[in-house]
C-alpha cells in the first residue's frame, strides 16, 4: 500500500521527465558573464550579506572586549604561575 505522496521504490509520475524534454546546459549562467562582472556580483553579494548582520552596540562591544582582555590576563597569570612552579620543581628534582 502506497501513501499519498508515493514510496521510495516507485517514483511519482510527475517526477519522470522524458529525455526529449530535458534541458541541457552548456555553460550555465557563468558562461554568459565575464570575470569582472562575476567579481562585481560577488562583491555586491558580500555587501548584501553584511547588511543582514546584527552588529553589537557600542556598550556591548566594550563589554565583550573587556571580558576578553580580562580572560586573557587571567590565563597569562595562570600559565605564569604554573610555569614558575614547574621551573622550581625541576630545579629541586634535578639539582
Amino acid at each position: 500500500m502506497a501513501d499519498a505522496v508515493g514510496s521510495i521504490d516507485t517514483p511519482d509520475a510527475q517526477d519522470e521527465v522524458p529525455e526529449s524534454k530535458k534541458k541541457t546546459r552548456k555553460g550555465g549562467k557563468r558562461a554568459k558573464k565575464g570575470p569582472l562582472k562575476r567579481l562585481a556580483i560577488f562583491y555586491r553579494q558580500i555587501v548584501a550579506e553584511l547588511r543582514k548582520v546584527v552588529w553589537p552596540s557600542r556598550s556591548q562591544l566594550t563589554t565583550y572586549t573587556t571580558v576578553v582582555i580580562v580572560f586573557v590576563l587571567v590565563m597569562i597569570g595562570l600559565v605564569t604561575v604554573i610555569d614558575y612552579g614547574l621551573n622550581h620543581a625541576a630545579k629541586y628534582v634535578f639539582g
Side-chain angles (χ1 to χ4, degrees):
M1 182 171 142
D3 56 354
V5 177
S7 70
I8 295 173
D9 297 331
T10 58
D12 295 336
Q14 64 208 19
D15 292 340
E16 295 177 7
V17 178
E19 292 294 324
S20 61
K21 292 192 177 189
K22 286 186 180 179
K23 294 181 181 178
T24 59
R25 294 175 60 181
K26 290 186 179 179
K29 294 181 180 178
R30 286 188 177 179
K32 297 177 185 175
K33 299 176 184 171
L36 291 178
K37 190 164 188 169
R38 288 188 300 184
L39 190 62
I41 290 171
F42 176 70
Y43 282 116
R44 269 189 250 131
Q45 290 173 346
I46 289 174
V47 170
E49 287 297 321
L50 285 175
R51 286 187 181 138
K52 296 177 188 177
V53 173
V54 179
W55 297 99
S57 67
R58 190 166 188 84
S59 65
Q60 288 174 329
L61 189 62
T62 304
T63 303
Y64 297 156
T65 304
T66 305
V67 167
V68 167
I69 290 172
V70 167
F71 177 77
V72 168
L73 291 175
V74 166
M75 293 307 295
I76 288 172
L78 182 65
V79 169
T80 302
V81 167
I82 291 172
D83 184 49
Y84 185 75
L86 289 175
N87 185 20
H88 279 287
K91 282 183 182 178
Y92 178 76
V93 171
F94 297 113

